[in-house]
Amino acid sequence: MTTTSLASLASEPLFGLPLPEIWFGLLFFILAMFLFLDGFDFGAGALFAIRDDEHEREQLLAAVGPFWDGNEVWLVVFGGAMFAAFPAVYAEVFTRYYLLMFAILGALIVRGLAPEMYEQREDERWQRWWGRAFVFGSVVAPFLLGLFVGNWMLGTSSIVTLPGVVVGLVVVALTIVDGVAFVRLKTRGSLRTELRPHGQWAVVAYLALVVITLGYVYAAYPTLREKLLSPLVLGLVVTSVVLGGIYVVATRQDRFYTAFVAGGGLVFALVAVVARLMYPTIEPGTGLTVGDAIVSTLPLNVMTIGASILLPLIFLYFAVLYSSFSGPIEAGEGY
Amino acid sequence: MLDPVIASRLQFAVTTIVHIIFPVMSMGLAPFLIYFTWKEIRTGKPIYEQLRRFWTRIFAISFVVGTVTGIVLEFEFGTNFGVFSTSAGELFGGPLAFEGMMAFMLEATFLGVFVFGRERVSDALFFVSSVAVGVGTWLSAVWILIANSWMQTPRGYELVTENGDQVVRLVDPMAAYFNPRFFWMYVHMQNSALESVALFMAGVGAYYVFRHHVWGYQVENVGFWETTLKIALVALIITAPLQVIHGDFYARHVFETQPQKFAAMEAVWETESYVPEYIVAFPTSVQDLLDPRAKEIFGIGIPGGASWLASGGDPQATIQGLEEFEGPQPPVAIVFWAFRMMVGLGFWFIVLAFWGGYRWWRGELFQDDLLHKALMASSLLGIVAVHLGWITTEVGRQPWIIQDVMKTSEGVSTGLTGAEATATLVGFVVVYTGLLVLYTYVVVRIIRAGPPAGSDLAVIDGEQPQAPPAEVSVDDDD
């Protein structure tokens, strides 16, 4: 890199782009990717609780087996991107919700370990306990992540707050919506037929919880009312209702891909609502705005160049992974 | 309740010491897995499929535990070292983000293909996956060590004051990322991972070879273990001498760039020349054992050795003493002993490598019970040496979190209470001990079960007839 180009990288944003806003958007995009991809892993884990049949349980594990490592990396990338682009927010939010962050990490540890351990031994007691651990991690991790995002969005000072808890439940419901769609896509037989009603109930519960959350925010946070009633947020809510409808219809008609895509759409709509309610602040607790919190021009440009090369590559890896394991899993494909 | 600074430092120490085991296993195993996959595809010999499948199981569990323990480390910067994260985020956050996007993504996605895809994907894609996993693993270390080495020898930044706080601003990414320490750290770390895994493999192989050939038990698949032992020995013969050679350059580099750390490694208090290299050293009184300012040292030393080491050949060279540096000192006893034990182990591994090589050359590799015992006893010592090396590096640079820029005590989150930090410290000690026990249990089970008997290939797709599973049979006696 020549000195002149380095100097220009240090003095102005790449191509004059609004980089703080782009990174704000990118951060929430990464969060949405994580919630979507690891979301159906969590959902599959939650469904593990209601399926007793050994063969079905093996199928649930086999369905997510090749994917969950890659899916969870989106969380690592989320942390890294936040640290790199908005270090002040990273430090502030993580320190404020200190114990919550550790609870999330604990749940993720249990979630990550359980399926691997479950498969290590055949004996019943071992599998019963690791099965429980798998369910526990799969439900608690998304709940706490929802609690975290809800608190962060509203800038609460304590960890356990009513809106935060409701957002936690919203996220759990959403993971079950996605989990059902994914498992039905990836399996045949009893799982495919018997999970249908669970997906429908989950989507109804999800939409109801979203409405409760938004109603609560409207009542308790007058400063957010204007944003709530903005065409964008209202449009996203309407879109979510439509997607929920598509999900239900597609689930009834066994159009697995359509249901899966609609479930994914719900995740992106939800995250977009959260982002819109925050913007232009990125840390509502201290009122720090996107422009205040962003790193200086040079590292931001370096990161932007890096991300614009690497993100397409990442999509390529995921395309290879998901196409290698496309279609329902077959007998004998184990974890 | 502990002080939040102490609790945060202890917590980081506990979580890193446990975490580092798993990346060492994955980084060290990755090239072996690429080799086994390559040979399996090229030769079609069942032994390579067995080797690939057996060591992939250990790789996979190491990767999972490494992931869950590693996410914790990433988040700990924000939770416990918030001031550091805010002020050095421009320099430190970038490499972590690049690690996620460039390395971890590659590794995690292709690991899915590599672990689950043998029967689903073509040979070519399968081999590419093994390479992608390996490249991802090694690139992870690149970015993590860029971040760490920058804290040791910071370059390419300027200090500015923002809202009354000192903030590190990136001015030259190339200088910051490829700072002076990075190269030595990377070479030393990567080679140590290979060496650790070679030792581990050699120990495991030796165990079965010993049972079969020396004790006379009938061990199934003994050919598998013999091959494992041989491959591990080759790797050890290559890596062990290299580790000491670049370790020497690395030590010299520390002397030039972090003289305080070097003085702590040698426990040199007053500036002097012709400093001996102590092989063992003890303070003259017992109470001085815990007192880092203890000056009276009884020991056996090589005259001029430390000077020779620091300067690269001049036994008369002067070493700055610890007393010349203002402010607090690193805990000298820890650094001094960790460094010594690491170097001692490094030489022991060379002895093992040549001993094994000699016996092999004599055609007695499977007969020498003392060698087998030594290999078994040393199977985990590579990882211990890695721990000792990191303790030297990280404890030795105290009190600095960023050398000469920010003290560790200044980097801890301001809002953090002693109660919170202590609670999570206790939690992590419990959880990480549990993780370590579980990991050990699973790895021992995998080793006990031995290599897979054959491909448990399933019928993959009704429409597409697949080749029948390769028959795997291994000569039991050889």
Side-chain angles (χ1 to χ4, degrees):
Chain A
M1 208 176 279
T2 64
T3 37
T4 44
S5 70
L6 196 62
S8 73
L9 273 182
S11 61
E12 56 192 84
L14 208 62
F15 307 120
L17 288 166
L19 290 185
E21 277 73 18
I22 289 177
W23 274 86
F24 179 78
L26 189 60
L27 195 62
F28 281 91
F29 172 75
I30 293 168
L31 183 65
M33 286 301 285
F34 167 70
L35 272 184
F36 172 44
L37 296 172
D38 222 19
F40 59 67
D41 299 343
F42 288 138
L47 295 170
F48 204 80
I50 53 167
R51 309 309 296 182
D52 288 332
D53 179 70
E54 192 46 41
H55 175 63
E56 287 188 352
R57 290 190 150 200
E58 291 289 336
Q59 280 191 302
L60 282 171
L61 288 175
V64 295
F67 306 116
W68 84 267
D69 269 334
N71 295 346
E72 192 157 294
V73 178
W74 287 94
L75 182 68
V76 178
V77 172
F78 172 75
M82 196 175 177
F83 197 171
F86 303 102
V89 180
Y90 183 76
E92 174 65 32
V93 176
F94 282 20
T95 305
R96 191 185 325 140
Y97 304 125
Y98 186 80
L99 293 176
L100 178 56
M101 296 318 296
F102 282 100
I104 291 173
L105 294 171
L108 287 173
I109 289 175
V110 173
R111 162 65 188 80
L113 213 57
E116 196 70 35
M117 288 296 155
Y118 186 89
E119 296 292 323
Q120 293 291 338
R121 279 179 62 169
E122 290 294 314
D123 84 82
E124 198 201 325
R125 235 172 75 109
W126 174 269
Q127 294 205 330
R128 190 167 63 237
W129 280 100
W130 282 111
R132 283 175 189 162
F134 183 44
V135 173
F136 173 85
S138 300
V139 176
V140 172
F143 173 77
L144 294 177
L145 277 161
L147 180 59
F148 165 70
V149 172
N151 286 341
W152 174 26
M153 174 178 83
L154 297 170
T156 65
S157 50
S158 65
I159 287 175
V160 183
T161 60
L162 183 62
V165 169
V166 183
V167 177
L169 295 175
V170 165
V171 175
V172 172
L174 190 52
T175 61
I176 294 171
V177 171
D178 285 337
V180 168
F182 181 73
V183 172
R184 296 192 77 216
L185 193 62
K186 293 295 292 178
T187 56
R188 288 180 178 151
S190 54
L191 271 179
R192 198 172 237 195
T193 48
E194 289 171 22
L195 286 182
R196 181 189 288 162
H198 295 96
Q200 295 175 352
W201 281 114
V203 88
V204 171
Y206 168 74
L207 290 172
L209 285 165
V210 167
V211 170
I212 291 170
T213 312
L214 295 180
Y216 179 89
V217 171
Y218 184 86
Y221 292 84
T223 48
L224 290 177
R225 276 181 201 168
E226 198 181 324
K227 286 182 192 169
L228 265 179
L229 296 177
S230 68
L232 179 62
V233 173
L234 288 178
L236 286 167
V237 173
V238 172
T239 309
S240 293
V241 174
V242 172
L243 284 170
I246 294 174
Y247 180 91
V248 170
V249 173
T251 304
R252 275 171 184 274
Q253 297 177 351
D254 281 350
R255 285 154 61 189
F256 306 113
Y257 274 104
T258 311
F260 182 64
V261 171
L266 286 175
V267 177
F268 282 86
L270 176 70
V271 173
V273 169
V274 170
R276 180 64 197 96
L277 290 181
M278 266 197 211
Y279 186 81
T281 59
I282 181 169
E283 216 297 80
T286 53
L288 209 57
T289 66
V290 172
D292 298 333
I294 197 81
V295 287
S296 58
T297 311
L298 178 64
L300 190 59
N301 281 335
V302 171
M303 287 298 301
T304 306
I305 294 169
S308 57
I309 296 166
L310 292 169
L311 282 173
L313 277 175
I314 291 168
F315 285 112
L316 178 72
Y317 310 155
F318 274 77
V320 171
L321 176 67
Y322 280 81
S323 63
S324 297
F325 297 91
S326 62
I329 47 160
E330 302 296 332
E333 277 192 277
Y335 188 76
Chain B
M1 289 302 138
L2 292 171
D3 175 66
V5 175
I6 301 287
S8 296
R9 288 178 60 180
L10 279 176
Q11 180 172 312
F12 205 84
V14 169
T15 46
T16 2
I17 280 178
V18 177
H19 171 71
I20 187 74
I21 296 169
F22 315 110
V24 163
M25 291 300 285
S26 2
M27 287 189 298
L29 277 171
F32 288 101
L33 291 182
I34 295 172
Y35 173 74
F36 296 152
T37 307
W38 172 253
K39 294 290 278 186
E40 176 187 345
I41 290 169
R42 292 304 297 221
T43 68
K45 283 189 187 160
I47 180 85
Y48 292 109
E49 189 200 346
Q50 284 188 309
L51 282 166
R52 193 257 306 160
R53 284 159 56 98
F54 178 82
W55 290 104
T56 297
R57 292 190 69 192
I58 292 182
F59 185 97
I61 186 75
S62 308
F63 180 81
V64 167
V65 186
T67 306
V68 296
T69 52
I71 295 178
V72 173
L73 289 189
E74 184 191 15
F75 282 30
E76 267 175 343
F77 291 111
T79 51
N80 291 61
F81 296 92
V83 176
F84 164 76
S85 298
T86 309
S87 57
E90 269 195 26
L91 269 137
F92 200 82
L96 289 194
F98 276 119
E99 192 237 357
M101 290 192 291
M102 187 185 280
F104 204 23
M105 278 289 188
L106 183 67
E107 184 182 359
T109 45
F110 283 95
L111 187 64
V113 180
F114 185 67
V115 171
F116 297 94
R118 185 67 183 104
E119 291 88 34
R120 280 228 179 208
V121 302
S122 67
D123 280 356
L125 178 55
F126 190 70
F127 178 68
V128 167
S129 316
S130 74
V131 175
V133 170
V135 170
T137 316
W138 281 45
L139 273 178
S140 255
V142 168
W143 287 107
I144 293 303
L145 294 182
I146 280 176
N148 188 288
S149 62
W150 181 79
M151 296 156 97
Q152 314 274 347
T153 52
R155 294 289 188 281
Y157 69 98
E158 63 183 17
L159 282 175
V160 295
T161 307
E162 228 171 54
N163 310 325
D165 296 324
Q166 278 224 314
V167 176
V168 174
R169 180 150 290 168
L170 180 68
V171 290
D172 184 349
M174 293 307 271
Y177 288 179
F178 299 99
N179 64 79
R181 177 58 48 80
F182 170 70
F183 175 76
W184 292 117
M185 237 183 190
Y186 188 75
V187 171
H188 203 58
M189 181 65 217
Q190 207 65 80
N191 195 64
S192 74
L194 285 170
E195 190 181 5
S196 301
V197 166
L199 282 159
F200 181 69
M201 281 178 127
V204 173
Y207 170 71
Y208 281 105
V209 169
F210 180 76
R211 281 177 69 88
H212 186 85
H213 290 285
V214 182
W215 273 5
Y217 286 96
Q218 197 56 40
V219 173
E220 265 184 85
N221 295 314
V222 75
F224 174 87
W225 300 114
E226 288 170 355
T227 309
T228 302
L229 178 58
K230 284 181 178 171
I231 290 171
L233 262 183
V234 171
L236 190 63
I237 289 167
I238 297 168
T239 53
L242 279 177
Q243 191 68 4
V244 170
I245 293 168
H246 49 65
D248 177 47
F249 284 101
Y250 187 175
R252 207 168 301 162
H253 190 261
V254 170
F255 173 70
E256 283 159 17
T257 52
Q258 289 178 298
Q260 192 177 8
K261 184 195 283 184
F262 189 86
M265 281 154 60
E266 297 296 340
V268 178
W269 295 98
E270 282 161 30
T271 301
E272 51 188 325
S273 54
Y274 199 61
V275 182
E277 173 71 30
Y278 285 102
I279 309 294
V280 286
F282 298 99
T284 43
S285 72
V286 175
Q287 77 215 54
D288 286 342
L289 207 58
L290 298 173
D291 173 16
R293 306 279 313 173
K295 286 180 205 171
E296 298 298 317
I297 292 175
F298 158 79
I300 306 163
I302 304 164
S307 293
W308 191 86
L309 185 71
S311 61
D314 176 13
Q316 299 295 337
T318 305
I319 295 178
Q320 261 180 306
L322 282 161
E323 285 173 354
E324 279 202 21
F325 300 93
E326 279 178 26
Q329 302 285 357
V332 176
I334 297 176
V335 183
F336 178 85
W337 281 112
F339 180 62
R340 244 136 220 84
M341 290 192 276
M342 176 191 74
V343 173
L345 285 174
F347 281 105
W348 167 239
F349 301 152
I350 295 182
V351 169
L352 278 179
F354 284 107
W355 185 2
Y358 174 73
R359 288 297 185 171
W360 190 353
W361 176 65
R362 293 278 302 260
E364 303 165 347
L365 184 57
F366 304 137
Q367 290 154 29
D368 186 343
D369 55 339
L370 195 59
L371 171 67
H372 299 155
K373 283 180 191 163
L375 288 172
M376 281 184 257
S378 305
S379 60
L380 299 179
L381 291 183
I383 290 166
V384 171
V386 170
H387 280 137
L388 293 167
W390 275 106
I391 288 168
T392 309
T393 297
E394 298 301 291
V395 178
R397 73 169 145 117
Q398 299 306 324
W400 302 105
I401 192 168
I402 308 168
Q403 183 73 44
D404 299 327
V405 177
M406 181 186 259
K407 293 210 169 74
T408 311
S409 55
E410 299 162 350
V412 171
S413 305
T414 42
L416 187 63
T417 65
E420 285 175 325
T422 310
T424 53
L425 170 64
V426 172
F428 273 112
V429 169
V430 172
V431 171
Y432 273 54
T433 310
L435 283 172
L436 206 52
V437 170
L438 264 175
Y439 175 78
T440 310
Y441 171 75
V442 169
V443 170
V444 168
R445 269 184 71 90
I446 293 171
I447 292 169
R448 284 248 171 100
S455 323
D456 43 34
L457 290 189
V459 179
I460 298 306
D461 216 332
E463 294 87 44
Q464 294 172 321
Q466 296 279 319
E471 205 56 49
V472 179
S473 63
V474 163
D475 302 328
D476 276 351
D477 43 346
D478 138 33

